[in-house]
Amino acid sequence: MNTIDSPTYLLAKFVPGILSPFIGNTNSFIKDSKHFADLIKDGKCDPNDLMTTFDVVSLFTKIPLNEAIEMVKSVTDPQNAKLVEICFGSTFFRFQGEFFEQTTGVAMGSPLSPMFTNLFM
């Protein structure tokens, strides 16, 4: 779904610049497969370590917005969380000529969704 013509599109393009310093600041963050390969190339795993991966089906639409916005407040400030809330609090899209409102999760076509989802996860 494309959100380019949505009322909050330009704001959703702006907010990732605010949130980007908070992405990747945990020990569990892995940017991509090359980053993962670099982390494990020296074989510094303990014998009892277990490597696993997860794939969340329909991840964007399953993000609990209220909880995720509270998390943004905890790592930045209430004003930034309010910007996120504005972006995702009124997500409308058009499908086959009809307009719909997304009532759960974040919009898959929003420029803010990938970064917001990474921050939440």
Side-chain angles (χ1 to χ4, degrees):
M1 132 182 52
N2 187 335
T3 63
I4 290 176
D5 292 328
S6 72
T8 58
Y9 179 75
L10 293 177
L11 181 60
K13 280 185 70 170
F14 173 76
V15 174
I18 295 170
L19 298 181
S20 63
F22 303 99
I23 301 296
N25 294 328
T26 64
N27 292 335
S28 62
F29 178 78
I30 297 176
K31 179 179 178 181
D32 53 27
S33 56
K34 181 184 178 326
H35 182 218
F36 177 71
D38 289 343
L39 289 173
I40 66 165
K41 72 180 175 188
D42 295 328
K44 295 181 181 177
C45 293
D46 291 331
N48 293 327
D49 286 347
L50 174 68
M51 282 195 256
T52 186
T53 64
F54 296 94
D55 183 17
V56 179
V57 176
S58 302
L59 175 61
F60 284 6
T61 59
K62 296 206 174 143
I63 298 294
L65 280 179
N66 291 336
E67 185 179 334
I69 290 168
E70 287 300 316
M71 180 271 316
V72 171
K73 279 184 196 174
S74 73
V75 298
T76 66
D77 59 61
Q79 292 84 10
N80 292 336
K82 186 64 177 172
L83 295 176
V84 170
E85 186 176 356
I86 290 168
C87 289
F88 294 130
S90 57
T91 303
F92 295 91
F93 62 95
R94 187 170 57 191
F95 179 71
Q96 294 184 346
E98 283 191 62
F99 286 94
F100 298 89
E101 180 180 12
Q102 182 169 340
T103 57
T104 60
V106 298
M108 290 174 53
S110 171
L112 176 56
S113 294
M115 179 170 290
F116 180 70
T117 301
N118 280 337
L119 185 59
F120 179 73
M121 294 299 287

